[in-house]
């Protein structure tokens, strides 16, 4: 484990100790150890197949690592290794393009309003069911959260009629409805045009500045906002580089992680890469 984070703070968001995960007999994560403290905005970066999606499923207890031989729990979230999943989902918000797909392809085929999408976050479900007790206070809070996302005008719009950028704002509102302590963003700007990407990242910057712990999981370097302090580079299920953004996010480290020479450019706290291997001015 990175010595800088060994001591940590009380109840860090995530602790992994030699976490190894197999799926269909294939090893996805290999003895991964890391700690992310509350308030420590972190980007976890790696190519497709590096283990990023598996890491999200560990954090939400959809997958479980192999039991560690030394008896130390391989995963703790907020200091605990056992969780009621519904309670955990109230403390950790998840934003993923997968959710957008699910809402558009469940039995209602996107025929659900923005406010009801947000209300579904109270129940950690991807639609609303007759047995769920929905109160006026819940709907009021959902509308207030949409307003916080500058998306109040989408409250009564059907999800399937929203643009990709609008849908992403609604999904972020959904993830925030329970006032989570941490927000996990899985490639949040996928399929967005450049204007929607900019607006989405500005919104995430605002949330980081307001105190929500941001864990960004991506292979898009330009999603790493200035508020991100730490970068973890994953390759073949292992954290090959881990540390402060300024020293970890380098052309050399990225070239090694992605298996291709890249050049890295920084401007106003944001980063971009190019594949010719030449360092930009």
């Amino acid at each position: 484990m990175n010595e800088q984070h060994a001591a940590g703070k009380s109840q860090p968001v995530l602790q992994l100790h030699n976490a190894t995960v197999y799926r269909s007999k294939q090893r996805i994560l290999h003895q991964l150890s890391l700690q992310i403290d509350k308030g420590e905005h972190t980007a976890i970066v790696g190519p497709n197949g590096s283990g990023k999606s598996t890491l999200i499923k560990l954090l939400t207890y959809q997958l479980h690592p192999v039991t560690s031989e030394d008896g130390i729990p391989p995963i703790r979230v907020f200091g605990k290794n056992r969780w009621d999943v519904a309670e955990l989902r109230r403390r950790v918000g998840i934003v993923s393009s997968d959710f957008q797909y699910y809402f558009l392809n469940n039995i209602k085929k996107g025929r659900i309003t923005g406010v009801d999408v947000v209300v579904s976050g109270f129940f950690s479900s991807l639609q609303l069911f007759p047995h769920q007790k929905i109160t006026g206070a819940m709907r009021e809070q959902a509308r207030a959260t949409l307003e916080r996302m500058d998306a109040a005008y989408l409250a009564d719009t059907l999800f399937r009629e929203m643009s990709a950028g609008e849908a992403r704002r609604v999904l972020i509102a959904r993830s925030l409805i329970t006032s989570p302590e941490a927000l996990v963003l899985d490639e949040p700007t996928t399929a967005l045009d450049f204007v929607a990407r900019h607006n989405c990242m500005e919104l995430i910057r605002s949330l980081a500045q307001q105190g929500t712990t941001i864990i960004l999981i991506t292979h898009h370097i330009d999603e790493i906002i200035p508020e991100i302090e730490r970068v973890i580079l994953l390759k073949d299920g292992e954290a090959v580089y881990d540390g402060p953004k300024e020293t970890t996010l380098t052309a050399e480290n990225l070239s090694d992680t992605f298996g291709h020479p890249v050049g890295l450019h920084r401007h106003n706290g944001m980063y971009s890469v190019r594949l010719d291997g030449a360092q930009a001015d």
Side-chain angles (χ1 to χ4, degrees):
M1 182 180 297
N2 189 324
E3 293 182 2
Q4 180 179 353
H5 303 280
K9 303 174 184 177
S10 62
Q11 294 189 344
V13 176
L14 176 65
Q15 293 168 289
L16 294 180
H17 172 73
N18 293 336
T20 298
V21 177
Y22 288 87
R23 300 184 70 178
S24 301
K25 298 183 179 181
Q26 181 180 357
R27 191 178 66 193
I28 307 299
L29 294 181
H30 178 57
Q31 295 188 339
L32 183 61
S33 294
L34 59 87
Q35 176 171 314
I36 298 176
D37 293 324
K38 293 170 71 171
E40 183 180 42
H41 306 312
T42 302
I44 300 173
V45 180
N48 291 334
S50 61
K52 302 190 303 300
S53 296
T54 298
L55 190 57
I56 294 174
K57 289 180 170 61
L58 280 184
L59 183 56
T60 55
Y61 280 64
Q62 294 172 271
L63 289 176
H64 300 277
V66 176
T67 302
S68 178
E69 293 182 358
D70 59 13
I72 299 174
I75 179 170
R76 289 189 178 96
V77 181
F78 295 116
K80 294 171 54 177
N81 66 308
R82 296 179 182 272
W83 275 97
D84 174 278
V85 175
E87 180 186 355
L88 177 61
R89 289 175 179 173
R90 287 190 287 270
R91 296 185 66 178
V92 180
I94 306 288
V95 179
S96 169
S97 57
D98 287 346
F99 288 0
Q100 191 163 333
Y101 175 84
Y102 295 147
F103 274 109
L104 290 172
N105 291 277
N106 63 19
I107 60 173
K108 290 187 176 294
K109 302 295 183 182
R111 294 188 296 272
I112 180 172
T113 63
V115 70
D116 281 348
V117 170
V118 179
V119 168
S120 74
F122 283 112
F123 306 100
S124 299
S125 61
L126 294 174
Q127 62 188 74
L128 296 179
F129 298 92
H131 72 274
Q132 293 169 335
K133 185 177 180 180
I134 301 169
T135 67
M138 286 179 176
R139 293 192 181 280
E140 183 177 340
Q141 185 176 340
R143 289 181 180 273
T145 307
L146 282 168
E147 185 172 2
R148 179 184 174 192
M149 298 297 102
D150 293 326
Y153 69 98
L154 296 171
D156 300 313
T157 302
L158 292 180
F159 193 76
R160 68 179 183 177
E161 296 175 357
M162 299 177 191
S163 69
E166 288 174 334
R168 204 61 49 87
R169 282 181 175 266
V170 170
L171 291 174
I172 293 175
R174 177 185 181 275
S175 72
L176 295 175
I177 193 64
T178 56
S179 300
E181 296 169 57
L183 184 61
V184 180
L185 300 154
D186 180 16
E187 299 182 358
T189 68
T190 296
L192 301 187
D193 63 41
F194 69 92
V195 174
R197 283 172 65 90
H198 172 79
N199 291 339
C200 182
M201 297 316 299
E202 286 299 304
L203 178 58
I204 293 167
R205 293 191 65 185
S206 176
L207 294 171
Q209 291 164 7
Q210 292 169 28
T212 302
T213 301
I214 299 296
I215 301 176
L216 172 67
I217 298 178
T218 187
H219 60 253
H220 298 295
I221 304 303
D222 58 358
E223 289 184 345
I224 300 177
I225 56 176
E227 287 72 18
I228 294 289
E229 305 154 344
R230 177 183 175 196
V231 172
I232 300 169
L233 298 181
L234 282 187
K235 180 180 180 181
D236 298 328
E238 300 183 27
V240 289
Y241 301 99
D242 178 2
K245 177 173 60 179
E246 289 75 15
T247 56
T248 304
L249 197 61
T250 66
E252 293 76 16
N253 290 351
L254 288 171
S255 297
D256 179 47
T257 301
F258 284 84
H260 194 290
V262 302
L264 184 67
H265 178 52
R266 178 178 177 178
H267 179 67
N268 291 334
M270 300 293 288
Y271 292 80
S272 61
V273 296
R274 61 188 190 186
L275 297 181
D276 61 6
Q279 192 73 35
D281 294 333

